[in-house]
Amino acid sequence: MSDSLQIRELVDQYFSLQWCRENIVVPLGVEKNEITGGEKLTVAIGNFSYLATIGDFIKQRASQAGLECQFIEKPAEDIQAFLDQAAQQRLISGEGLDSFEFSDDAILDALKEADGDSGANLGFDFDYDDGDEQIIEDQAMDLATEMMGTKIQQAAAKILINSARSGVSDIHVEPGEDAYKVRVRRDGVMQSYVTMPRTAGIKLTACLKNMANMDIAERRASQDGKIRRKFEGQTMEFRCATAPAKHGEKMVMRFLNSNADMLSLDVLISNENIRRDFRSIIEASNGIIVVSGPTGSGKSTTLASALREKDTGEVNIVTAEDPIEYDLGGTIQQFPVIRAKGQTFANLLRTFLRQDPDVILIGETRDPETAESSMDAAETGHLVFTTLHANSASSSLTRLMDMEVPSYKLNSSLRGVLAQRLMRKVCPECSAERPMNEEESRFTGLRQGTPIRVANSLKSEEREKRKQEGTLCTRCNGSGYQGRIGAYELMKVNREIQDSIKKQLSTQEIETVAVANGMWTLKKYAADLVEKQLTTISEMMKISNTGF
């Protein structure tokens, strides 16, 4: 059996710790294939039902290194144990850190101990100049700085580490009259995390503000900042925002997953036909491509994946982002929006056009000026990517028309619109299988009796009871879901769609034309995921905004 150091080297070489944790996957070793004479990579999977989603991607990674791939199934708890041991190999560069625990209980213990600490012992440095906005980012500090500090610093670091490990997208530190609460958003759903005395909560907020280079003496005004730290060989980034509430400062931190190594359309878009059609659109030499959806629907991740595929070294790719969420690497040049200095999306776009670009990403089109400038750039031989806040592909078109973009510009520039949502993946370990009933069949369009999975979501009391009994699902911790998967709706702009734009048809009329031309709606894509037992009907209802 491979030791933890070898596993860590394989994880870093072919995958990433975060991706392996999210998908319950671990590479165990490379050995000679006695039959073919080549070498094969043995990969343990927590559940073989997920091979349809991630199997081809793992094989592709192995084949790039000239390796064959062998899959074996192991219990999820064994795989997590392998990954925990591997993580210790490069946990944090520093002495005496291998004994630290990152569990929920360890965080609570640290907060309890910190509640007795004196605020004067936090070791904060008030002497820094925030008079000028920093454009060029400093090197990320190592989390050893906090882990070797005071109890409250250790608690803050453990909250960040545990959140990044467990797929948390947002951390909310919320003040109350008698206590502070920390809640987290995991797989798109807010969950209670830990409650602490007010004194500990005030210190925790001050510590996190200090890590984000905010003014900790200012509590009556909103502030923005960013925490950048190195951990497990990767950079963790959290975008931070504070606001004065009734009982104190509320702080929200959004985890910016800057590890772009695993970005791939093969992983994101599970439907082969839609993935192929989207790739054909992004291969265009000019025009504009729109990715739409609400906040938190994965638009940035999809665009980052598309740009990395375009980055062959033979084109000039520039991006305007607010904020920069992924370090795309390669030859892609990324530029942050800094409104305080007049560096808006529209102004950056005008700057880009003087720098010989081939591909341009405008992080968000939110006003008529940016929309028309993007269309003009697309008409002059550039390939432009942008995002819109819209509920569907057809509503994206009407949204652009509402921004007073002329119909002739839309028809000459627009290549396609990809609308998307994120749905929670049902836990394959503790979910139950049952046949679809008649009512569900009418809603989904699937045949009655189709085998589907139902999540086993536990209430907090039952979850705590199962935890004490040792019967709590180790994969989803009783939530019934683990990880998320995308649902997509791709509208290719053909002659029929162009006629619809010219006639300025309504959202529903445009969607009817697109469906008649073979477009899969978000609802149909979600139904396909339900049929493949990757998600549930309740998740499908959330993105359909309709009931039975």
Side-chain angles (χ1 to χ4, degrees):
M1 179 62 67
S2 306
D3 60 22
S4 56
L5 178 58
Q6 183 181 358
I7 290 176
R8 180 57 195 259
E9 290 174 348
L10 292 171
V11 167
D12 288 345
Q13 185 174 356
Y14 300 111
F15 310 106
S16 74
L17 268 172
Q18 182 179 343
W19 187 85
C20 287
R21 290 186 190 279
E22 289 176 354
N23 292 279
I24 319 296
V25 169
V26 62
L28 296 178
V30 177
E31 57 188 19
K32 188 171 182 179
N33 189 329
E34 299 296 340
I35 300 175
T36 65
E39 291 186 315
K40 62 181 178 181
L41 175 68
T42 301
V43 179
I45 306 285
N47 190 290
F48 268 17
S49 65
Y50 277 7
L51 271 179
T53 305
I54 61 176
D56 289 342
F57 177 73
I58 296 173
K59 290 177 183 176
Q60 180 187 22
R61 281 285 168 136
S63 66
Q64 288 172 353
L67 300 175
E68 302 167 17
C69 204
Q70 172 181 279
F71 294 109
I72 62 173
E73 191 167 16
K74 281 189 172 292
E77 56 267 27
D78 290 356
I79 291 178
Q80 292 290 10
F82 280 129
L83 294 173
D84 286 342
Q85 293 167 12
Q88 297 295 328
Q89 295 301 323
R90 266 173 244 164
L91 182 61
I92 306 174
S93 57
E95 295 295 329
L97 297 176
D98 54 349
S99 61
F100 280 112
E101 293 288 336
F102 298 98
S103 65
D104 294 351
D105 292 337
I107 292 170
L108 186 58
D109 291 342
L111 286 170
K112 287 178 180 177
E113 294 180 48
D115 188 39
D117 288 348
S118 168
N121 295 329
L122 286 177
F124 293 150
D125 180 8
F126 288 88
D127 186 20
Y128 64 87
D129 180 16
D130 62 350
D132 194 16
E133 186 167 358
Q134 187 170 0
I135 299 176
I136 301 175
E137 305 230 18
D138 294 331
Q139 286 290 327
M141 295 172 56
D142 202 296
L143 262 176
T145 305
E146 282 76 31
M147 291 304 299
M148 299 304 291
T150 64
K151 293 294 184 183
I152 200 68
Q153 288 176 312
Q154 292 178 25
K158 289 176 180 180
I159 288 174
L160 299 183
I161 291 168
N162 207 32
S163 298
R165 279 183 169 183
S166 58
V168 165
S169 61
D170 301 88
I171 307 169
H172 294 240
V173 183
E174 302 172 335
E177 186 175 1
D178 302 316
Y180 267 65
K181 285 185 178 180
V182 177
R183 295 196 299 159
V184 298
R185 187 179 297 279
R186 182 181 287 113
D187 294 337
V189 177
M190 290 291 290
Q191 301 173 8
S192 296
Y193 187 57
V194 67
T195 302
M196 70 199 82
R198 271 189 63 84
T199 51
I202 292 170
K203 292 177 186 178
L204 176 65
T205 303
C207 179
L208 292 168
K209 286 174 65 178
N210 188 64
M211 293 171 69
N213 288 328
M214 294 179 177
D215 182 358
I216 63 173
E218 178 56 76
R219 299 182 182 179
R220 298 178 182 271
S222 301
Q223 295 186 64
D224 295 307
K226 180 182 283 188
I227 296 174
R228 298 183 80 242
R229 292 294 188 272
K230 284 188 177 178
F231 174 70
E232 290 188 347
Q234 298 174 5
T235 299
M236 292 197 312
E237 293 189 65
F238 293 85
R239 185 179 66 196
C240 308
T242 62
K246 180 179 179 180
H247 297 296
E249 278 186 293
K250 175 175 178 177
M251 188 170 191
V252 179
M253 294 170 285
R254 164 154 289 193
F255 179 41
L256 305 177
N257 185 358
S258 59
N259 172 34
D261 291 339
M262 301 308 297
L263 293 176
S264 168
L265 294 177
D266 292 316
V267 174
L268 298 177
I269 305 178
S270 59
N271 185 283
E272 184 179 349
N273 293 329
I274 294 178
R275 185 171 64 241
R276 184 189 63 242
D277 289 344
F278 184 61
R279 279 195 167 119
S280 70
I281 290 173
I282 68 175
E283 286 304 312
S285 58
N286 60 72
I288 186 166
I289 298 165
V290 175
V291 178
S292 65
T295 300
S297 59
K299 300 186 298 294
S300 298
T301 305
T302 300
L303 284 173
S305 303
L307 288 183
R308 283 171 66 87
E309 289 202 4
K310 295 291 293 182
D311 185 25
T312 61
E314 298 177 352
V315 290
N316 179 20
I317 303 177
V318 291
T319 76
E321 302 172 67
D322 182 23
I324 295 175
E325 293 193 30
Y326 293 100
D327 181 5
L328 296 177
T331 62
I332 300 173
Q333 293 292 309
Q334 297 173 260
F335 297 82
V337 167
I338 307 175
R339 291 182 179 82
K341 297 185 178 296
Q343 195 161 299
T344 63
F345 283 120
N347 288 342
L348 276 171
L349 180 53
R350 283 192 287 270
T351 301
F352 291 163
L353 294 177
R354 296 192 292 269
Q355 298 201 345
D356 186 33
D358 297 297
V359 180
I360 301 171
L361 166 67
I362 300 299
E364 182 183 348
T365 296
R366 59 178 68 171
D367 56 69
E369 181 186 10
T370 306
E372 191 152 1
S373 298
S374 299
M375 296 292 167
D376 290 340
E379 283 186 321
T380 53
H382 306 92
L383 183 62
V384 180
F385 292 86
T386 191
T387 69
L388 270 179
H389 283 102
N391 291 324
S392 64
S394 54
S395 65
S396 300
L397 295 185
T398 54
R399 176 87 191 278
L400 287 170
M401 289 189 278
D402 288 343
M403 289 184 185
E404 300 176 356
V405 177
S407 299
Y408 73 89
K409 282 195 175 184
L410 272 179
N411 281 338
S412 64
S413 303
L414 193 60
R415 298 290 176 264
V417 181
L418 182 74
Q420 64 180 86
R421 294 287 192 284
L422 288 177
M423 307 169 67
R424 290 186 293 172
K425 291 195 290 187
V426 66
C427 177
E429 298 294 332
C430 64
S431 60
E433 183 181 295
R434 66 165 174 80
M436 181 179 291
N437 62 37
E438 182 181 354
E439 199 173 27
E440 293 166 337
S441 175
R442 284 198 302 269
F443 173 69
T444 61
L446 300 175
R447 178 179 51 82
Q448 184 177 346
T450 299
I452 59 173
R453 300 203 77 84
V454 181
N456 182 25
S457 301
L458 304 176
K459 294 184 178 179
S460 56
E461 300 83 5
E462 180 66 21
R463 196 178 304 170
E464 189 61 34
K465 180 182 176 182
R466 294 271 189 96
K467 185 177 181 181
Q468 293 174 357
E469 295 173 349
T471 58
L472 186 67
C473 176
T474 57
R475 180 158 187 165
C476 70
N477 289 320
S479 68
Y481 297 90
Q482 198 273 330
R484 289 194 285 180
I485 190 168
Y488 297 88
E489 177 179 282
L490 178 62
M491 178 188 291
K492 296 189 290 184
V493 179
N494 54 23
R495 187 172 298 277
E496 287 79 6
I497 298 297
Q498 289 175 339
D499 289 341
S500 301
I501 293 172
K502 188 175 181 180
K503 295 175 184 176
Q504 295 192 335
L505 298 184
S506 67
T507 296
Q508 188 59 52
E509 289 171 328
I510 293 174
E511 181 171 299
T512 301
V513 172
V515 170
N517 279 270
M519 183 185 80
W520 274 39
T521 62
L522 286 166
K523 184 177 179 181
K524 183 175 180 179
Y525 197 113
D528 183 59
L529 296 178
V530 169
E531 187 176 21
K532 291 177 179 175
Q533 299 191 356
L534 294 173
T535 190
T536 62
I537 290 179
S538 62
E539 285 296 294
M540 179 180 171
M541 291 172 65
K542 290 179 183 178
I543 73 164
S544 301
N545 295 320
T546 57
F548 292 146

